[in-house]
Amino acid sequence: GLVDGAMGVSRASFQLEVGRYELLLSCELGLCQAEVQACPHPRCQQRFWSHHLEAHLSRCPWQPRPCPRASKGCEWMGCSDELESHELECVGMEVECKNQHLGCKWVGPAALEAAHLQECLAEGLLEVVQPLEKLLSEACPDFRNPETARLVQQCLQYRRYVRPCGQWKEWKSSGRCCECSKIIDRKEKGLQCETPNSRLCWSCMPSRMDWQRLKDEGKLVKARPD
C-alpha cells in the first residue's frame, strides 16, 4: 500500500515535470500556445491562462445561466445576483397565496399573485378586519366613529360563514374570545355564538371562515365603500 502510494506520487510528479519541460521547450521553439485571457463577462475583472478559462467560466458568478425552472418553460438567462428579481415574474415560479394560513388554496405564478389578491376572499376580509382592529386598539376607542360602525357592519355580514356556520350572532354579553382569550365586552368587538359562553373577536374570525361556502354563494363584501 505504501509502495503503491509512493509510486503514484512519483508518477504524478514525473508527469508534472514532463509538462513543465514541454511548456518550456515549446516556448523556446516558438510553438507555445499559452496566453492570458480575460473572462468574457464585462462585470468580471479576472484574467487567466487560456487553459484555465473554461474552468473559471463554469463557476464565474457573472456568467449568465438559465433559470432553475427552465424545464417548466422559462427561457430567462442571467447572473446569480439577478435571479431574485427574476423570480418575481418567472413564468415557471409558483407561489402560494400569502393568506394560505387562513385557508386560501390558491397556487400560481408569482407574477399573478397581485391580481389574485384583488379577488382573494381572505384578503377581502382582512381589508375589513385589520383597519377595524386598529381603531379598536386605540387607548380610548371612539365607538361612535362612523368608520368604526361601517367596518363593524361589514364584519357582521360575514358571520353566517364563520364555522360552525349559522350559529354566530351579534354580541350580547361579556366574555373572552374562544381563540385568543381577548376580552369581548362590546358589540363592536366581535361575535357571540348560540352556544353559551362562546365568543369570537374580529382578528380571529378569518381563521374560522368557510371560504368554500362564501365562494359558492358569491358573496364578497367590499372593504371600501363605492
Side-chain angles (χ1 to χ4, degrees):
L2 292 175
V3 173
D4 292 340
M7 291 181 65
V9 172
S10 297
R11 188 179 300 111
S13 299
F14 175 75
Q15 291 174 345
L16 179 60
E17 290 302 323
V18 170
R20 289 176 177 173
Y21 173 77
E22 290 179 345
L23 178 60
L24 290 172
L25 182 59
S26 296
C27 290
E28 289 291 337
L29 297 176
L31 302 175
C32 180
Q33 300 297 316
E35 61 177 330
V36 175
Q37 291 186 336
C39 176
H41 199 287
R43 297 171 67 184
C44 183
Q45 302 296 319
Q46 298 191 55
R47 295 177 176 273
F48 307 88
W49 288 109
S50 56
H51 56 284
H52 289 159
L53 183 60
E54 183 177 351
H56 163 73
L57 292 178
S58 67
R59 60 179 183 274
C60 176
W62 308 120
Q63 185 68 12
R65 289 180 173 77
C67 175
R69 286 162 291 281
S71 61
K72 295 183 179 181
C74 182
E75 299 179 354
W76 176 85
M77 291 280 292
C79 303
S80 56
D81 65 331
E82 300 169 336
L83 181 60
E84 184 175 353
S85 60
H86 159 69
E87 288 181 339
L88 296 176
E89 55 186 22
C90 176
V91 297
M93 181 76 167
E94 289 194 338
V95 297
E96 294 179 336
C97 175
K98 70 173 188 175
N99 299 314
Q100 186 267 344
H101 65 290
L102 296 177
C104 182
K105 298 180 180 180
W106 180 85
V107 177
L112 299 181
E113 183 179 21
H116 158 71
L117 291 175
Q118 296 295 320
E119 303 177 352
C120 176
L121 300 180
E123 187 71 8
L125 179 53
L126 290 176
E127 289 181 356
V128 179
V129 168
Q130 291 175 344
L132 175 56
E133 286 292 355
K134 184 177 181 179
L135 291 172
L136 296 177
S137 64
E138 294 177 352
C140 296
D142 182 3
F143 296 107
R144 293 175 298 179
N145 183 343
E147 180 65 6
T148 299
R150 183 182 73 83
L151 293 172
V152 168
Q153 287 304 310
Q154 287 190 331
C155 282
L156 289 174
Q157 293 180 59
Y158 281 94
R159 69 179 185 269
R160 61 181 295 191
Y161 305 104
V162 179
R163 293 189 178 94
C165 295
Q167 297 187 29
W168 293 94
K169 309 296 181 183
E170 292 190 44
W171 176 91
K172 292 182 179 180
S173 60
S174 297
R176 291 184 178 273
C177 174
C178 59
E179 293 287 337
C180 69
S181 299
K182 182 187 297 183
I183 295 176
I184 303 176
D185 54 3
R186 294 184 62 99
K187 65 179 182 179
E188 294 88 356
K189 294 185 177 181
L191 301 173
Q192 186 163 342
C193 189
E194 292 181 347
T195 302
N197 300 320
S198 209
R199 293 159 190 80
L200 189 68
C201 71
W202 305 126
S203 292
C204 294
M205 186 168 71
S207 64
R208 298 283 294 267
M209 293 293 295
D210 186 339
W211 300 114
Q212 189 59 50
R213 180 177 178 182
L214 179 58
K215 181 179 180 180
D216 291 344
E217 295 189 12
K219 303 290 185 180
L220 177 57
V221 182
K222 292 184 179 180
R224 301 178 182 85
D226 295 329

